[in-house]
Amino acid sequence: MGIDIRLPIGAMFSLIGSLQILYGHFGPQEIYQRSLGININVRWGIVLLAFGVIMFLSSWLRQKGQGKLNL
């Protein structure tokens, strides 16, 4: 039928989330003093990665279940 839009969206958000987690973990820690020591890059990276994984899973489940039930 064609590519499911959730697949490239999941890839994009997973990549950006992973990069943001890596930067938050290995980047300069002194920049978080302005935010009361909260590493916001890691937290939002986890959110973006989780959203990307959900998009991947929903695309995979749609493709897997597509052949079983045709209405």
Side-chain angles (χ1 to χ4, degrees):
M1 171 157 191
I3 191 164
D4 190 5
I5 191 69
R6 290 173 287 203
L7 190 62
I9 288 174
M12 180 188 68
F13 276 97
S14 296
L15 178 66
I16 292 172
S18 299
L19 290 173
Q20 197 163 1
I21 290 170
L22 288 173
Y23 178 75
H25 187 67
F26 294 113
Q29 298 299 312
E30 54 272 356
I31 63 174
Y32 303 114
Q33 296 307 316
R34 292 174 44 190
S35 62
L36 303 175
I38 298 171
N39 194 337
I40 199 71
N41 285 322
V42 170
R43 291 185 183 202
W44 272 105
I46 291 170
V47 171
L48 291 174
L49 183 61
F51 180 73
V53 168
I54 289 170
M55 289 289 113
F56 267 131
L57 287 176
S58 65
S59 174
W60 180 70
L61 289 173
R62 172 75 177 176
Q63 289 175 357
K64 186 176 180 179
Q66 193 172 15
K68 293 182 181 178
L69 180 63
N70 291 328
L71 298 175

